[in-house]
Amino acid sequence: MDFVRRLFIPVLLLAALAVPAVASATAPSVVTLPVDDSIVFAGADSPCGFDITFTSTGTVKVTTFFDNEGNPVRQTIHGSLTHTFFSAWHTLVSKGPAPVHIDLASGQMVDTGMEYRFHLPGDGVIFGQAGRLTLASDGSELSFVGMSVADTDALCAALAP
């Protein structure tokens, strides 16, 4: 599952860290951010015998909420990213609309819903994650309840020549 975590955590942390907290008003602030992230799995880092790339692209809306003193206390991230796995020969695509909630005091992040789901006709979901994932401020997993499928053999077969 380390391969799965290497895909999810950078995207989540990028979205959380890309938004500076603006404490100029008590009303929530809303920022729309483009996401264009790519992770290359090559050589020994690849679960396949060849290089593969995972991408996340799209736009997210980050809403920062403030307390009565104007201090940022929490953020929500909403949007739908397009995720792809591709090799030199094939591409698999998935949409991921999972919202993220961040407690800015503790840094704890909660992702709920379907993060991504790659499926093949006749085989069903070969790589996916949906449910409730709670991460500590350092990106380590605190808890996960839901579905996590990581059939790397099927993934590699789908991306092979």
Side-chain angles (χ1 to χ4, degrees), residues 19-46:
V19 180
V22 179
S24 62
T26 303
S29 70
V30 179
V31 178
T32 301
L33 296 173
V35 175
D36 188 3
D37 193 32
S38 179
I39 302 171
V40 177
F41 296 93
D45 288 337
S46 177

Side-chain angles (χ1 to χ4, degrees), residues 3 39-41 46-48 50-53 85-87 155 159:
F3 176 67
I39 302 171
V40 177
F41 296 93
S46 177
C48 307
F50 48 87
D51 296 353
I52 62 172
T53 302
F85 266 118
F86 67 88
S87 65
L155 177 70
L159 296 174

